[in-house]
Amino acid sequence: MILNDGVEGSMKKNQRCYLKLLSGQYPSIQAASNAIISLSAQLELPKGTEHFLSDLHGEYEAFQHVVKNGAGSIWLKIKELFGSTLTKQEQRNLATLIYYPEQKVSLMLQTVPDQGEWCRLTLMRLIKLCRMLTSKYQRTKVQTFLPPDVAPIIEALLYERENIANKSEYYQNMIETIVSTDSAQIFIITLSELIQRLAISRLHVIGDIYDRGYGSHLIMDALMEYHQVDIQWGNHDILWMGAATGSEACIANVIRICLRYGNMETLENGYGVSLLPLASFALETYENDPCDCFTPKVMNKEDFTDREIQLMAQMHKAMAIIQFKLEGQMIKRRPHYQMEDRLLLDKINYEKGTIILDNIEYPLIDHHFPTIDPNEPYELSPAEQVVMEKLRISFINSEKLQQHVRFLYSKGSIYLIHDGNLLYHGCIAMNEDGSFQSFNVDGQAYAGKAFMDRVDRLARQAYFTKDNIEKKQYGMDAIWYLWCAAQSPLFGKEKMATFERYFLADPATHKEKRNPYYVFQDREETACKVLEEFGLDPRTGHIINGHVPVKVKKGERPVKANGKLIVIDGGFSRAYQRQTGIAGYTLISNSKCLLLASHHPFESMSNALLEESNLDSETEIIETHPIRMRVKDTDRGREIQQQIDALQDLLQAYREGMIKEE
């Protein structure tokens, strides 16, 4: 390409400005050279192990357990190192100790005959395992993982070899002194936590952190503290994100789902959202209504009294009616959503207690609607308006919720391209012929990647727009669209039949037909087409997603399209485990291969501690890399190479006198 003098001069000026800024961090030839040496060496390290999770649905304890054991990768390392020297029971003891060090070390010290000897052996085993795992990290990186008060001693234990002449007594004396000063417990805990940290370099969460289980807010707290994480939003996540922006339709859905599953823990205790206004309204409005269709699906009924369950049912119905009204208003406000078929309140014959759908008249199971005006069925009553305004204020003023949602925006997206793979939660909307479904806005068509990019921008517009009410409202409505619309890549069904499931007995009306994508996803040519749409190489790339549980009991497999597509939703949520037969899949990507781990249902931490059950996972190698992957083969490696190139330019600038050393 030929540049004119003005353009070339501008580029040179910009380059000098950039190099000048870079010189502030590397102020001399030696500093720049040292950085190049360090970065170049880093490129040759083995690629770090990465862990992919999906559809956590608030199952905090199960999430913690899988993260602590690296989806079974730590267990594999223990077997590799100690398989020939430790019994199976000793290996299980060591694994439990690493996963739950603070709890397990206390239990072990109460049962072992010689505490000092047990501490010595345990420390040496943990150090050996740490050394194995640190081989993928630079020493300076490992230093950042260690508490400052014990870092020098642990570094000495890790990097001083006891079998080298003149170092054996030094090493052994250090172990003995740790034990004799009653410091062993601290070092055992620190080394165990370091092993957890070293085992997984990056965590990918492919959607649906929220709903169903009681600990979504606790999972978010843990993710915020995790060393490196990215999130691809799921439909349940986007709903909470919309609620945090102040979208009343999203708020109504969030509260309705919490009430449906008897899960107020996240709302009330996690985020401090008061449901008192809704409870007062429901008690007054539905006082004599049994609300049988709205009895919550609680996991443990003994946790609630009959009166509490009745109140939740009344609140549940009250919020469902409010939701249908608010959604109807939005569908009318946004005709380009093409969701008129979900306007149902005006299809009800309120005198007969029936509804007409697709020219068929159905009787309603429940036809007590004290707040619906048949002439204006989508208008909130004055009392409902008061309830929603109080709830909206509670959501937008929840400091913890806003922190979590801000984190979802900073670490999350609709999709992610990472190391040649494509990660998204649900689907890419398709037509019956397998072409990408198009969405038209103001004469412009969006499909495939273009549509995903557009809705990602709109979701951010909803949260970050402050001074343009119309623009913010458009974004908030788009978030609701992502929750339940037919073309949403997070939903992937022709409709969300919430009304039908509550009010109609005929199961045929409850059906939610999946997008044609789910017919084509088993075909290799479809996966290749999707990868190419996102600019990826179909020969080496993979699609990794969740959203639809893999029903292992029915013979379904998570690996589809000749290995190009991997679905890792296998029933992490207990609500789905009867359908799937397992407790979820997770994917492990290391320098040698891709492994799929299937997990057993997690009972409790106390069970794992005392009975040492569910410590390992069944793993299956689904792809082996032709050669061991190095950091230079990853996206991170390409970023490092760009840094090296820039530093080489800085070196040249120093040597030519363009920039002076300090």
Side-chain angles (χ1 to χ4, degrees):
M1 182 174 66
I2 299 174
L3 300 174
N4 62 47
D5 291 341
V7 173
E8 188 175 8
S10 176
M11 289 178 65
K12 286 183 177 178
K13 183 179 179 181
N14 289 337
Q15 185 185 29
R16 282 196 298 271
C17 288
Y18 171 70
L19 293 177
K20 185 64 178 174
L21 288 171
L22 193 60
S23 70
Q25 188 174 356
Y26 306 99
S28 66
I29 288 176
Q30 191 61 56
S33 298
N34 290 346
I36 290 170
I37 294 166
S38 177
L39 291 169
S40 297
Q42 192 175 336
L43 289 175
E44 298 303 324
L45 288 170
K47 181 188 94 70
T49 300
E50 299 179 62
H51 190 186
F52 300 77
L53 295 168
S54 176
D55 296 86
L56 307 175
H57 287 299
E59 298 289 351
Y60 173 67
E61 280 202 344
F63 161 78
Q64 280 285 78
H65 185 68
V66 170
V67 169
K68 283 175 178 293
N69 68 34
S73 58
I74 293 176
W75 175 253
L76 294 176
K77 296 294 184 186
I78 289 172
K79 289 200 295 183
E80 182 181 342
L81 267 181
F82 303 110
S84 60
T85 57
L86 298 182
T87 66
K88 189 68 176 287
Q89 184 57 50
E90 287 173 329
Q91 292 175 50
R92 297 183 78 81
N93 282 341
L94 184 60
T96 313
L97 176 70
I98 292 168
Y99 305 159
Y100 301 101
E102 290 191 32
Q103 298 86 349
K104 189 65 175 179
V105 71
S106 298
L107 289 173
M108 293 300 296
L109 288 174
Q110 293 172 21
T111 58
V112 294
D114 187 335
Q115 291 186 359
E117 182 62 18
W118 180 84
C119 288
R120 290 184 198 93
L121 286 173
T122 301
L123 283 167
M124 287 189 284
R125 289 166 183 168
L126 292 174
I127 291 163
K128 190 174 181 180
L129 188 52
C130 273
R131 286 174 177 171
M132 184 185 197
L133 293 169
T134 54
S135 64
K136 289 188 177 184
Y137 296 87
Q138 289 181 305
R139 183 168 178 172
T140 52
K141 188 70 173 176
V142 175
Q143 289 171 343
T144 65
F145 304 155
L146 295 171
D149 53 340
V150 295
I153 297 172
I154 289 180
E155 282 188 74
L157 291 170
L158 292 179
Y159 297 107
E160 299 290 356
R161 303 295 176 172
E162 69 274 17
N163 56 354
I164 296 176
N166 303 321
K167 287 291 184 180
S168 177
E169 291 184 7
Y170 169 84
Y171 177 87
Q172 291 299 330
N173 182 264
M174 190 173 290
I175 295 286
E176 289 297 330
T177 307
I178 288 172
V179 174
S180 65
T181 57
D182 292 329
S183 303
Q185 195 162 341
I186 294 170
F187 281 88
I188 287 170
I189 292 169
T190 304
L191 286 166
S192 297
E193 291 174 346
L194 178 61
I195 289 167
Q196 291 182 32
R197 170 62 184 81
L198 294 169
I200 301 297
S201 65
R202 181 167 181 162
L203 185 64
H204 305 275
V205 182
I206 310 181
D208 278 0
I209 297 164
Y210 282 88
D211 291 333
R212 301 291 196 278
Y214 300 144
S216 301
H217 57 295
L218 300 176
I219 294 175
M220 287 301 303
D221 282 339
L223 290 176
M224 288 182 72
E225 294 179 1
Y226 203 78
H227 45 273
Q228 191 171 17
V229 64
D230 57 70
I231 301 164
Q232 291 71 62
W233 305 324
N235 52 320
H236 288 273
D237 306 322
I238 206 77
L239 188 64
W240 282 80
M241 290 160 67
T245 69
S247 165
E248 292 188 349
C250 291
I251 289 170
N253 272 279
V254 161
I255 295 174
R256 178 188 61 79
I257 292 169
C258 288
L259 290 163
R260 180 176 177 81
Y261 293 97
N263 174 18
M264 273 68 72
E265 176 67 23
T266 297
L267 266 180
E268 295 187 320
N269 295 333
Y271 293 136
V273 173
S274 173
L275 296 181
L276 183 59
L278 176 62
S280 300
F281 168 77
L283 275 172
E284 183 178 343
T285 307
Y286 298 95
E287 181 181 7
N288 299 315
D289 187 339
C291 300
D292 292 333
C293 303
F294 295 89
T295 300
K297 298 181 178 183
V298 295
M299 294 290 290
N300 300 309
K301 288 195 174 181
E302 60 271 17
D303 292 343
F304 303 96
T305 66
D306 291 344
R307 185 67 195 94
E308 286 171 336
I309 289 177
Q310 174 65 19
L311 175 58
M312 282 192 287
Q314 292 167 328
M315 295 166 68
H316 187 185
K317 181 175 181 179
M319 188 48 64
I321 299 302
I322 291 173
Q323 174 190 315
F324 299 140
K325 290 182 176 184
L326 292 169
E327 291 179 336
Q329 293 175 20
M330 191 181 307
I331 292 167
K332 289 184 172 185
R333 183 164 66 242
R334 308 294 181 196
H336 62 287
Y337 287 178
Q338 298 180 18
M339 295 178 67
E340 289 80 6
D341 61 319
R342 303 314 299 153
L343 292 171
L344 302 180
L345 298 185
D346 58 352
K347 309 298 188 299
I348 296 174
N349 185 319
Y350 290 91
E351 292 182 358
K352 293 173 61 179
T354 61
I355 189 171
I356 295 178
L357 296 178
D358 299 325
N359 298 317
I360 301 174
E361 187 173 38
Y362 296 93
L364 297 172
I365 299 171
D366 180 337
H367 47 84
H368 178 59
F369 302 117
T371 69
I372 297 180
D373 178 355
N375 297 315
E376 297 287 347
Y378 299 106
E379 294 299 315
L380 296 183
S381 70
E384 287 172 328
Q385 289 177 13
V386 170
V387 169
M388 283 311 303
E389 179 58 19
K390 289 181 178 180
L391 290 170
R392 188 186 69 82
I393 291 171
S394 192
F395 270 80
I396 63 177
N397 287 332
S398 168
E399 185 176 348
K400 177 67 81 172
L401 176 61
Q402 296 300 327
Q403 286 175 354
H404 286 173
V405 169
R406 183 67 179 81
F407 182 77
L408 284 170
Y409 276 106
S410 66
K411 297 293 183 181
S413 54
I414 287 283
Y415 70 90
L416 178 69
I417 294 172
H418 178 76
D419 288 349
N421 298 315
L422 178 61
L423 286 57
Y424 55 81
H425 177 69
C427 70
I428 308 295
M430 291 182 168
N431 297 308
E432 297 289 346
D433 62 359
S435 60
F436 294 126
Q437 195 172 357
S438 180
F439 186 89
N440 297 303
V441 183
D442 298 330
Q444 185 172 354
Y446 297 88
K449 181 179 182 296
F451 183 68
M452 299 278 270
D453 289 335
R454 175 172 173 79
V455 293
D456 189 291
R457 287 194 300 272
L458 289 174
R460 297 177 194 282
Q461 178 177 306
Y463 190 76
F464 292 105
T465 301
K466 303 298 180 186
D467 55 356
N468 187 321
I469 295 174
E470 185 178 342
K471 186 177 179 181
K472 186 176 184 68
Q473 186 65 57
Y474 194 95
M476 290 195 296
D477 290 356
I479 285 184
W480 174 84
Y481 179 92
L482 285 169
W483 157 244
C484 63
Q487 195 177 335
S488 167
L490 306 183
F491 179 53
K493 298 178 184 177
E494 67 174 1
K495 67 177 181 182
M496 187 174 285
T498 308
F499 181 94
E500 291 89 334
R501 287 196 299 268
Y502 283 132
F503 292 105
L504 302 182
D506 188 346
T509 64
H510 303 175
K511 271 192 166 184
E512 298 175 339
K513 184 182 176 183
R514 291 181 186 172
N515 185 272
Y517 168 91
Y518 292 102
V519 175
F520 293 108
Q521 71 171 350
D522 287 335
R523 304 179 187 179
E524 186 175 359
E525 60 267 29
T526 300
C528 291
K529 177 182 176 179
V530 171
L531 288 166
E532 288 174 343
E533 169 71 7
F534 286 81
L536 298 173
D537 186 345
R539 294 171 300 174
T540 57
H542 305 84
I543 299 168
I544 305 168
N545 63 9
H547 187 51
V548 177
V550 178
K551 297 176 182 176
V552 179
K553 290 173 74 173
K554 294 187 176 181
E556 292 182 4
R557 289 275 297 142
V559 182
K560 303 176 184 294
N562 196 24
K564 296 293 179 188
L565 189 148
I566 306 163
V567 181
I568 58 171
D569 179 8
F572 211 96
S573 170
R574 279 180 282 184
Y576 294 126
Q577 287 170 12
R578 288 184 182 178
Q579 302 175 41
T580 62
I582 62 169
Y585 290 106
T586 58
L587 187 69
I588 303 164
S589 171
N590 61 33
S591 60
K592 297 177 182 178
C593 60
L594 276 176
L595 297 110
L596 189 70
S598 57
H599 304 286
H600 306 290
F602 182 75
E603 294 182 24
S604 66
M605 184 183 74
S606 60
N607 184 269
L609 276 169
L610 298 173
E611 299 184 22
E612 297 184 340
S613 61
N614 195 23
L615 297 181
D616 53 342
S617 305
E618 296 173 14
T619 56
E620 169 192 357
I621 296 176
I622 58 176
E623 185 175 296
T624 302
H625 304 313
I627 58 173
R628 191 174 194 186
M629 287 187 69
R630 306 281 174 180
V631 171
K632 65 184 178 183
D633 303 313
T634 67
D635 291 345
R636 175 61 184 149
R638 285 179 276 279
E639 291 173 4
I640 291 172
Q641 187 59 57
Q642 290 174 355
Q643 294 175 39
I644 292 171
D645 293 343
L647 286 164
Q648 293 283 13
D649 290 342
L650 179 61
L651 271 182
Q652 188 70 16
Y654 279 142
R655 287 167 178 158
E656 292 180 356
M658 288 174 53
I659 296 175
K660 303 294 184 184
E661 293 182 87
E662 292 186 14

